Amino acid sequence: MNELKHLAIIMDGNGRWAKQRGLSRTKGHEKGAEVVREITTYCANHPEIKTLTLYAFSTENWKRPKMEVNFLMKLLERYLKNEETTYMKNEVKFETIGNLEPFSPSLKKAIKSLKEKTKNNKKLTQIIALNYGAQDEIVRAVNKLCKEKKEITIDTLNDALDMPYPIDLLIRTSGEQRISNFLLWQIAYAELFFTKTLWPDFTSTELEQIIQNYKKRERRFGGI
Ligand code: IPE
Ligand code: IPE
Ligand code: MG
């Protein structure tokens, strides 16, 4: 049976969930944040999963209306501040990938503070992808190696990335079957699972079913 150490999720469908209910897209993002809490708690208490990487804001998401971008930034800051007890209670360490540079000083401060407070938690590492794009990550890594005058090999490039750990299982919600610039390098041999469920409707019960499906797959990694 396949081991599941690193799970990654493209949390998609918040806007459509809200639209179906005649609500503003922001309501979908709010409900989505609650699902982040439920899924993180489930993963922290799962016997195998050590890392959960969540796609929250892409390098392309800046194209959205200013109002939506601002709302997402505020929601994130609020989540990081309000959920501290959830992180501590479930022994979850918080980390990020992506370029944090463009974020506001107060959001950067909230990110730094939660990382510091949760750094010794051992049950699960939750990595949130913020202003993350795999192409941007790879370019930053290559530039870093060039600057340090290091040779570019699979190992040196891997280690220069924001995320040096391969993904075992990648799930995307909302029915879209694409990667949208998420973890291009790290999904080289990941198993992919696409569900039609919109992220605000996603539950730990469905996650458990997907994990059971993953367990039964045959991962060959190019061998026979
Ligand atoms: C995912 O939901 C959340 C973010 C990308 C921030 P969307 O906002 O993309 O929802 P849809 O795809 O429009 O339904
Ligand atoms: C991918 O979703 C990014 C996140 C979930 C953060 P998008 O909704 O931005 O992706 P596209 O535009 O449908 O490919
Ligand atoms: Mg979307």
Side-chain angles (χ1 to χ4, degrees):
M1 290 255 255
N2 298 318
E3 266 209 313
L4 178 56
K5 287 199 286 201
H6 192 173
L7 170 66
I9 307 179
I10 301 174
M11 312 182 287
D12 197 18
N14 293 353
R16 280 163 282 169
W17 181 91
K19 199 177 169 199
Q20 280 175 1
R21 285 160 180 77
L23 303 168
S24 70
R25 293 177 55 87
T26 56
K27 292 288 171 212
H29 296 313
E30 272 175 358
K31 181 71 184 10
E34 286 172 29
V35 178
V36 170
R37 186 198 305 121
E38 176 187 337
I39 295 303
T40 303
T41 305
Y42 172 85
C43 291
N45 294 291
H46 188 280
E48 270 189 299
I49 303 170
K50 289 320 283 170
T51 312
L52 170 67
T53 300
L54 300 171
Y55 204 7
F57 194 85
S58 76
T59 45
E60 287 73 36
N61 286 148
W62 297 104
K63 291 180 195 160
R64 294 187 180 201
K66 213 170 169 195
M67 189 225 122
E68 180 166 342
V69 171
N70 287 344
F71 181 86
L72 284 167
M73 297 300 145
K74 279 205 205 98
L75 178 66
L76 176 65
E77 193 172 327
R78 196 160 19 117
Y79 184 87
L80 300 178
K81 285 177 178 162
N82 291 349
E83 295 296 322
E84 195 189 313
T85 49
T86 316
Y87 282 88
M88 297 316 289
K89 204 170 73 193
N90 294 288
E91 294 171 59
V92 178
K93 178 176 170 178
F94 166 69
E95 283 180 5
T96 62
I97 52 173
N99 178 10
L100 302 178
E101 202 60 39
F103 294 133
S104 72
S106 69
L107 179 53
K108 280 190 215 163
K109 203 173 143 200
I111 290 169
K112 201 174 158 202
S113 158
L114 192 62
K115 281 182 182 172
E116 188 57 33
K117 282 175 184 148
T118 62
K119 69 177 181 202
N120 294 319
N121 290 347
K122 295 269 177 328
K123 263 167 73 178
L124 179 79
T125 301
Q126 180 212 51
I127 302 175
I128 302 199
L130 297 172
N131 185 28
Y132 175 88
Q135 293 176 336
D136 175 65
E137 176 192 35
I138 292 167
V139 169
R140 282 188 286 106
V142 170
N143 276 323
K144 189 173 163 231
L145 293 175
C146 289
K147 222 168 151 186
E148 292 167 358
K149 297 199 164 33
K150 285 198 184 129
E151 191 191 349
I152 293 172
T153 66
I154 290 179
D155 287 339
T156 60
L157 180 50
N158 186 72
D159 293 345
L161 294 171
D162 297 353
M163 160 74 77
Y165 316 115
I167 308 299
D168 293 310
L169 171 62
L170 172 68
I171 299 169
R172 182 173 187 144
T173 61
S174 89
E176 308 299 349
Q177 300 189 30
R178 55 175 171 263
I179 302 301
S180 303
N181 204 9
F182 193 39
L183 302 171
L184 296 177
W185 174 280
Q186 300 84 346
I187 60 166
Y189 269 100
E191 294 295 323
L192 309 180
F193 195 101
F194 299 97
T195 169
K196 289 205 166 98
T197 306
L198 302 174
W199 177 251
D201 286 329
F202 195 70
T203 60
S204 50
T205 311
E206 182 170 0
L207 176 55
E208 211 168 304
Q209 284 160 3
I210 296 171
I211 293 173
Q212 275 168 23
N213 171 293
Y214 162 82
K215 287 276 170 186
K216 289 191 214 124
R217 293 186 186 187
E218 190 190 350
R219 299 184 80 186
R220 285 195 286 272
F221 299 96
I224 51 170

